[in-house]
Amino acid sequence: MEKNRLIVSYDKEADVFYLSFGEPKTSVTEELDDYVLVRRDPQTHDVTGITITNLTDYFAKKGEMKLEIPA
């Protein structure tokens, strides 16, 4: 994981938040809940990024940006 480089973007029209550790690359996606998707390197299983769908609803229900990602 490129821990020293974060790429953050938000698609206002789709209401989707993206966070990538380094440049986005081919990854396997794991669904944590109705909103959060974790992207992992298929070989090392390191987290390569996080996507939060329906960000507005996510914050309305959670009230905070706190994610616990299983190893």
Side-chain angles (χ1 to χ4, degrees), residues 15-69:
D15 194 26
V16 178
F17 171 84
Y18 302 96
L19 177 116
S20 292
F21 300 101
E23 289 296 323
K25 61 181 184 177
T26 302
S27 300
V28 175
T29 302
E30 171 187 343
E31 188 174 325
L32 291 187
D33 60 29
D34 291 340
Y35 301 96
V36 180
L37 305 171
V38 175
R39 298 184 309 278
R40 295 183 185 268
D41 181 294
Q43 295 177 347
T44 66
H45 303 287
D46 287 341
V47 176
T48 59
I50 298 166
T51 301
I52 302 176
T53 60
N54 299 308
L55 186 67
T56 307
D57 287 345
Y58 176 84
F59 273 115
K61 290 182 180 177
K62 301 273 185 173
E64 64 180 349
M65 173 78 85
K66 181 179 179 183
L67 298 174
E68 292 186 28
I69 301 171

